[in-house]
mmCIF file with all atom_site columns, all heavy atoms in Angstrom:
data_model
loop_
_atom_site.group_PDB
_atom_site.id
_atom_site.type_symbol
_atom_site.label_atom_id
_atom_site.label_alt_id
_atom_site.label_comp_id
_atom_site.label_asym_id
_atom_site.label_entity_id
_atom_site.label_seq_id
_atom_site.pdbx_PDB_ins_code
_atom_site.Cartn_x
_atom_site.Cartn_y
_atom_site.Cartn_z
_atom_site.occupancy
_atom_site.B_iso_or_equiv
_atom_site.pdbx_formal_charge
_atom_site.auth_seq_id
_atom_site.auth_comp_id
_atom_site.auth_asym_id
_atom_site.auth_atom_id
_atom_site.pdbx_PDB_model_num
ATOM 1  N N   . SER A 1 140 ? 29.813 41.381 -67.903 1.00 79.00 ? 140 SER A N   1
ATOM 2  C CA  . SER A 1 140 ? 31.001 42.225 -67.817 1.00 79.00 ? 140 SER A CA  1
ATOM 3  C C   . SER A 1 140 ? 31.678 42.367 -69.171 1.00 79.00 ? 140 SER A C   1
ATOM 4  O O   . SER A 1 140 ? 31.815 41.417 -69.924 1.00 79.00 ? 140 SER A O   1
ATOM 5  C CB  . SER A 1 140 ? 31.996 41.623 -66.817 1.00 79.00 ? 140 SER A CB  1
ATOM 6  O OG  . SER A 1 140 ? 33.228 42.293 -66.910 1.00 79.00 ? 140 SER A OG  1
ATOM 7  N N   . LYS A 1 141 ? 32.163 43.585 -69.447 1.00 75.00 ? 141 LYS A N   1
ATOM 8  C CA  . LYS A 1 141 ? 32.889 43.841 -70.697 1.00 75.00 ? 141 LYS A CA  1
ATOM 9  C C   . LYS A 1 141 ? 34.263 43.165 -70.679 1.00 75.00 ? 141 LYS A C   1
ATOM 10 O O   . LYS A 1 141 ? 34.886 42.992 -71.719 1.00 75.00 ? 141 LYS A O   1
ATOM 11 C CB  . LYS A 1 141 ? 33.065 45.340 -70.891 1.00 75.00 ? 141 LYS A CB  1
ATOM 12 C CG  . LYS A 1 141 ? 31.760 46.091 -71.147 1.00 75.00 ? 141 LYS A CG  1
ATOM 13 C CD  . LYS A 1 141 ? 32.045 47.576 -71.421 1.00 75.00 ? 141 LYS A CD  1
ATOM 14 C CE  . LYS A 1 141 ? 30.764 48.361 -71.580 1.00 75.00 ? 141 LYS A CE  1
ATOM 15 N NZ  . LYS A 1 141 ? 30.054 48.507 -70.297 1.00 75.00 ? 141 LYS A NZ  1
ATOM 16 N N   . LYS A 1 142 ? 34.758 42.836 -69.481 1.00 73.00 ? 142 LYS A N   1
ATOM 17 C CA  . LYS A 1 142 ? 36.099 42.247 -69.375 1.00 73.00 ? 142 LYS A CA  1
ATOM 18 C C   . LYS A 1 142 ? 36.144 40.840 -69.963 1.00 73.00 ? 142 LYS A C   1
ATOM 19 O O   . LYS A 1 142 ? 37.206 40.318 -70.248 1.00 73.00 ? 142 LYS A O   1
ATOM 20 C CB  . LYS A 1 142 ? 36.533 42.169 -67.902 1.00 73.00 ? 142 LYS A CB  1
ATOM 21 C CG  . LYS A 1 142 ? 36.850 43.513 -67.297 1.00 73.00 ? 142 LYS A CG  1
ATOM 22 C CD  . LYS A 1 142 ? 37.272 43.334 -65.853 1.00 73.00 ? 142 LYS A CD  1
ATOM 23 C CE  . LYS A 1 142 ? 37.306 44.668 -65.142 1.00 73.00 ? 142 LYS A CE  1
ATOM 24 N NZ  . LYS A 1 142 ? 37.429 44.504 -63.687 1.00 73.00 ? 142 LYS A NZ  1
ATOM 25 N N   . PHE A 1 143 ? 34.976 40.221 -70.083 1.00 72.00 ? 143 PHE A N   1
ATOM 26 C CA  . PHE A 1 143 ? 34.955 38.833 -70.546 1.00 72.00 ? 143 PHE A CA  1
ATOM 27 C C   . PHE A 1 143 ? 34.582 38.765 -72.014 1.00 72.00 ? 143 PHE A C   1
ATOM 28 O O   . PHE A 1 143 ? 33.602 39.349 -72.441 1.00 72.00 ? 143 PHE A O   1
ATOM 29 C CB  . PHE A 1 143 ? 33.950 38.011 -69.727 1.00 72.00 ? 143 PHE A CB  1
ATOM 30 C CG  . PHE A 1 143 ? 34.434 37.752 -68.340 1.00 72.00 ? 143 PHE A CG  1
ATOM 31 C CD1 . PHE A 1 143 ? 34.242 38.682 -67.335 1.00 72.00 ? 143 PHE A CD1 1
ATOM 32 C CD2 . PHE A 1 143 ? 35.110 36.579 -68.025 1.00 72.00 ? 143 PHE A CD2 1
ATOM 33 C CE1 . PHE A 1 143 ? 34.711 38.457 -66.046 1.00 72.00 ? 143 PHE A CE1 1
ATOM 34 C CE2 . PHE A 1 143 ? 35.580 36.350 -66.748 1.00 72.00 ? 143 PHE A CE2 1
ATOM 35 C CZ  . PHE A 1 143 ? 35.382 37.285 -65.763 1.00 72.00 ? 143 PHE A CZ  1
ATOM 36 N N   . ASN A 1 144 ? 35.401 38.050 -72.764 1.00 67.00 ? 144 ASN A N   1
ATOM 37 C CA  . ASN A 1 144 ? 35.057 37.791 -74.160 1.00 67.00 ? 144 ASN A CA  1
ATOM 38 C C   . ASN A 1 144 ? 35.168 36.283 -74.376 1.00 67.00 ? 144 ASN A C   1
ATOM 39 O O   . ASN A 1 144 ? 35.381 35.526 -73.426 1.00 67.00 ? 144 ASN A O   1
ATOM 40 C CB  . ASN A 1 144 ? 35.983 38.570 -75.097 1.00 67.00 ? 144 ASN A CB  1
ATOM 41 C CG  . ASN A 1 144 ? 37.447 38.328 -74.753 1.00 67.00 ? 144 ASN A CG  1
ATOM 42 O OD1 . ASN A 1 144 ? 37.802 37.254 -74.258 1.00 67.00 ? 144 ASN A OD1 1
ATOM 43 N ND2 . ASN A 1 144 ? 38.297 39.315 -75.005 1.00 67.00 ? 144 ASN A ND2 1
ATOM 44 N N   . ASP A 1 145 ? 35.054 35.868 -75.625 1.00 65.00 ? 145 ASP A N   1
ATOM 45 C CA  . ASP A 1 145 ? 35.083 34.420 -75.900 1.00 65.00 ? 145 ASP A CA  1
ATOM 46 C C   . ASP A 1 145 ? 36.397 33.778 -75.442 1.00 65.00 ? 145 ASP A C   1
ATOM 47 O O   . ASP A 1 145 ? 36.424 32.622 -75.056 1.00 65.00 ? 145 ASP A O   1
ATOM 48 C CB  . ASP A 1 145 ? 34.886 34.162 -77.394 1.00 65.00 ? 145 ASP A CB  1
ATOM 49 C CG  . ASP A 1 145 ? 33.460 34.518 -77.810 1.00 65.00 ? 145 ASP A CG  1
ATOM 50 O OD1 . ASP A 1 145 ? 32.619 34.615 -76.898 1.00 65.00 ? 145 ASP A OD1 1
ATOM 51 O OD2 . ASP A 1 145 ? 33.212 34.708 -79.000 1.00 65.00 ? 145 ASP A OD2 1
ATOM 52 N N   . GLU A 1 146 ? 37.471 34.576 -75.494 1.00 65.00 ? 146 GLU A N   1
ATOM 53 C CA  . GLU A 1 146 ? 38.777 34.006 -75.170 1.00 65.00 ? 146 GLU A CA  1
ATOM 54 C C   . GLU A 1 146 ? 38.876 33.579 -73.714 1.00 65.00 ? 146 GLU A C   1
ATOM 55 O O   . GLU A 1 146 ? 39.446 32.554 -73.398 1.00 65.00 ? 146 GLU A O   1
ATOM 56 C CB  . GLU A 1 146 ? 39.874 35.036 -75.466 1.00 65.00 ? 146 GLU A CB  1
ATOM 57 C CG  . GLU A 1 146 ? 40.694 34.691 -76.689 1.00 65.00 ? 146 GLU A CG  1
ATOM 58 C CD  . GLU A 1 146 ? 41.686 35.776 -77.020 1.00 65.00 ? 146 GLU A CD  1
ATOM 59 O OE1 . GLU A 1 146 ? 42.413 36.222 -76.121 1.00 65.00 ? 146 GLU A OE1 1
ATOM 60 O OE2 . GLU A 1 146 ? 41.726 36.181 -78.194 1.00 65.00 ? 146 GLU A OE2 1
ATOM 61 N N   . ASN A 1 147 ? 38.356 34.414 -72.815 1.00 67.00 ? 147 ASN A N   1
ATOM 62 C CA  . ASN A 1 147 ? 38.517 34.041 -71.403 1.00 67.00 ? 147 ASN A CA  1
ATOM 63 C C   . ASN A 1 147 ? 37.220 33.552 -70.762 1.00 67.00 ? 147 ASN A C   1
ATOM 64 O O   . ASN A 1 147 ? 37.066 33.564 -69.554 1.00 67.00 ? 147 ASN A O   1
ATOM 65 C CB  . ASN A 1 147 ? 39.139 35.188 -70.583 1.00 67.00 ? 147 ASN A CB  1
ATOM 66 C CG  . ASN A 1 147 ? 38.342 36.462 -70.668 1.00 67.00 ? 147 ASN A CG  1
ATOM 67 O OD1 . ASN A 1 147 ? 37.244 36.467 -71.209 1.00 67.00 ? 147 ASN A OD1 1
ATOM 68 N ND2 . ASN A 1 147 ? 38.883 37.537 -70.132 1.00 67.00 ? 147 ASN A ND2 1
#
Side-chain angles (χ1 to χ4, degrees):
S140 169
K141 293 184 184 71
K142 289 180 192 168
F143 288 85
N144 52 30
D145 291 342
E146 252 175 49
N147 57 8

